[in-house]
Each structure stands twice: as structure tokens, then as C-alpha cells.
Amino acid sequence: MTVINNALYKPSLPLAQKSLPYLKKIPNNSPLWVKKTRKKKFLFFVAMFIVVAIAIIPSVLAENKGLEEVEKELGQNVEDKLDELNLSELEDYFNNMQEGSLSTWGSVKAFVKQVIKGDFQGGYNDFFKASVTALGKSALDTLPSLLSIVAIAILFSILSNMSSNFVHKSTNEIIYFVCFSAIAVILLGKVVSLIMMTGNTIKGMQRLMELVFPVMLTLITSLGGVITVSAYQPMMAVISTGVVGVITSFIMPCFIATVVLSVVGNLSPSVKLEKLNKFFRSTGEVVLGLMFSLFMTFVTLQGITGAIADSISVKSAKFAISSYVPILGGYLSEGFDLILASIVLIKNSLGLAGVIIMLTVILMPVLKITVFTLGVKLVSGLIEPIGDKRMSDFISTLGSNMRMLIVAILAVSFMFFIMIMLVIYTCNMGV
Amino acid sequence: MDIFRVIGIGLLGAIIALMLKQSRSEFSMLAVLATGVIILIIILNSLSEVIVAFNKIVIKSGISQELFTGLIKIIGVGYVTEYGASMCDDLGCGSISKKIHLAGKIGIFLMALPIVMALIDIIGEIVKL
């Protein structure tokens, strides 16, 4: 079908240019043309007569087509196009992703079909259930370690009060050291797993986008959105290598630095590293924010302008078909619309599927980190009155630094989200 | 623990030491030492009860037993060191008391070493990420 589409699309432009002298609207027709016009005119009309004669039977039939017929044809178009798409890698990715309760879909293709038919309703419920289970799971995961931190802090306060009558403060200090180390070991164990999870999530999102975008770009190309594709393709390269690279090689090390600095800075009362800690945190946030806003601006501008240029060229092609192919042109242009509409439908529902899969990918990590952050803040509040000040400082700093991980995941997912949404909202030719 | 018994023994020891100081000053120090040892023996029983109570807390909270044992040992070493050093001070040997303190500190540090090593290991692991 794509071949027919292109065949319709490409010759229509020279036809439009050649037919312009008939309209006498654009003055740049050459005098050579006028001389040759009569002969050509005659030949042209003969050819047209034959074409019309051939076309009259199907067109009469087409006139009798009802709305249902058209819908059926659209559905058939969609099915054909969907079967032609190669989604096997995306399906593999989807099947490997077991977290979340998206098992009701079956496969990506089935989901796309569901959306196209308008049967897609279970999304909210599924999501709600998935998030509640994820929330419970992550709370259960973090609870034991948080409780043992509180217990260690209580133990420390009892022991340090018991031994506060030591002449030398060093014994008290070493008890603090031991308790702090124990707390730090418990917390850092959790943090390491969260860092790894964040890295894996970002890589997973990158992989997902590498699977979804080529398919969507192919669909846009078949819609005639050549300029849009040429605008999106470099963006895709930038986002999947540049942005993800910056996050994994700059933002994550910044976060790790803040974690290490907060451990070392609170280990002894003489070493103060709070400001350095803040520096790393704000550097990470500033870089992320700058990159984010720059990217957003460029993506939106390029995407929209490219899409407008494409929609003009597609519209002119359509106009050319409908006005310069006599009699048959109207039908052809409507058929053109129908084909475009079916591709647009597939593109948009595939985009929706991509967004929902991405949300499921980030749901668990974001909830886990959020629960951990909140729990850590609660613990730091609980041990502030009983434990040492440095202890609660360490825990609360760690809690506020965890924000960087969430921001990293959310930034990448939001960029991808914007990209998909742009692809969905632009290049909706013939709709 | 009977606090009155401890106070009584302490006062008695102090009075005896005071009396001995005037007649035979070389025995007065021994009286002080003996009083300290008797008080330590009286406390010991109650101290074990305290440790059992801590143990119950630890089992309920689910902290690893090793950590708790390490902490108790550190505190015990701290107390014993303090005790011995103050006795040496009583006997007028300040330099020996300082050496006992040093030994105590090294002992405590050795005991805290596994936890510190674990901390350093995990920081190294994080930095490698």
C-alpha cells in the first residue's frame, strides 16, 4: 500500500506544475509551453477519456459505499499496515518486561488494535493496581532496614548516655563511629541497589525508544513527513546517546559524590563537607535543568516547523490529485486520505503503547526511590531527638540527595514522552 | 543492685583509707583498691542483667548480633580501661594510667575495625559505580 501511496504522491507534483498554465494563475509559464500546448492538450484529453472510462465503473460502485463500508475499509487498511510492520523486537522487549500488570494486553500489536478499535479502557485501573502493588512492595522492602537504623540509633543513645561519665571522650566517639558506620552500611547497601536500578531504568528507556522511534519514523515517512523525519532523527540520536550519556556519566557521579561526601562529612565532628555536598547537588541539578530546557525548546520548535512544512507538501499533493486529475481525482484524493488516516491511527496508537510501556518501566523505580526517600526522612526525624545530630544530618542529607535519582529518571522519561507526544500530535495528515 | 550497700562500702572504704593515711599511709592505697574491686564485683551482677535486656532489644529490632556484641565489647573495654586507669591514678602513677588508656584505645579500635572496613568497602563500591 505504501508503494501505491508513493506512486500517487510523486508524479502528482510534476502534473501539478504542468497543469498550472491551464489555471493561468502563476505567470512563470514559458512561451515554449504555449506552442506545444494544443497538441498536448488533445493527447491529454484522449488519455483522460480512456482513464475515465476505465475508472467509471469502480467510481460508481464507490459512490454507493456507505459509512460502514468506509470504516471497514479503514479497518482493513489498518490491519494490513499493522501486519506489515515489523514489531518483533518491541514484542520481545515487552515480553521481557514482567514488572507491572500489563499482562492483560497480550502483545503490543494486540494493544495497538485495541486502541484503534476504541476498546482501550483498562489502562487507568491496571495502572492504579500496579502502582499500589509496587508501593506496597517497595515499602515492605525498605521497612526492615529503616527499622534497624532506628534501633541502632536508640541503642547508641542508651549506650552513649551510659558511658558519658568517661573521663576521655574518645570512647564515646568510637561508639558513635561504630553505630554510624553500621547505619551507613545499611543505608549505602540500599543506595547502591537504587543507583543500579536507576541506571538500568534509564538504559531500558533508551532501549525502548530505540525500538519505538524507528517504527514511528517509518510510519511518518510513509505519511510523507520527510522533513519531520529529518528533524526527528538527529534529535533521537541526541536524546538516546547525548542526554542519557550526560546522565549516566555526569549526574550519577555527582549523586555518588554527594553520598560519599555526606558519609565522610558526618563521620567525625572535625571534618565539615556540607557545602561541598551542596555544590555537587546543585551542579547536577543545574546541568540537568539546562540540558532539559534546551532540549525541550529545540525539539518543540523543530518538530512543529518540520511538521508544518510536511503538512503543506502533503496538502498540496492532495490538492493536486483532486484538482488536476479530472473526475477521478476526488475519489483518489479521498482514498489517499483513508490510507493516510489508517497510518496515522497506527502511528498514534503505537505511540500511546510506547508511552504506556515507558510509564510501566519507570513506575517501579520511581516509587521505590520515593518510598525510600520518604522513609529515610521519617527516620531522620525520628532519631533527631534521641540520636546524635550528625547521624540525623547524614540521613536527611542522603534523603534529599535521593531526589537527584528521581529527577534523572523523570527527566529522561519526560523527554521521551515529549518526543512521542510530538510525533503523535504532528504529521496527522488527512485527519 | 543494692545502692545502699554500694554507698556503705564506698563510705567505709573512704573512712578506712583516711584513717590508714595518718597511721600507715602505705596501706591506705590498698584499702582504696580493695573498695573499688568490691564495688565492681557488686555491680557485675546487675551489669549482666543490663546486657541481657539490651540483647532482648537487639533480637526484637533484628539488628545483626555481631554488631551488638561488638558494641558491648567496646563499651566493656572502655569501662575496664577507665577503671584500671583511674586506679593507677589513685596510686599516683599517672604515666601508667595514660599507657592503659592507650592500650584501651587500640583495643577498641581493633574491635571497631570490621565495621569500619565494611563502611570503607561499601564507599569504594559506590565510587566505582
Side-chain angles (χ1 to χ4, degrees), chain A residues 151-152 155 158-159 162-163 166-168 170 174-175 177-178 181-182 184-185 188-189 192 195-196 256 260 263, chain B residues 50 54 58 61 63 67-68 71 74-75 78-79 82 101 105 108-109 112 115-116 118-119 122-123 125-127 129:
Chain A
I152 290 174
L155 205 65
I158 295 171
L159 293 180
M162 217 171 89
S163 61
F166 283 154
V167 181
H168 294 262
S170 59
I174 207 144
I175 292 171
F177 196 69
V178 171
S181 305
V185 166
L188 292 189
V192 167
I195 290 173
M196 291 207 180
I256 289 166
V260 174
V263 173
Chain B
V50 172
F54 271 141
V58 167
S61 68
I63 310 173
L67 175 73
F68 172 71
L71 276 180
I74 286 168
I75 290 169
Y79 270 114
E82 198 74 21
H101 265 305
K105 269 181 199 168
I108 288 172
F109 181 71
I115 295 171
V116 176
L119 183 68
I122 205 155
I123 288 179
E125 202 178 308
I126 280 189
V127 171
L129 275 179

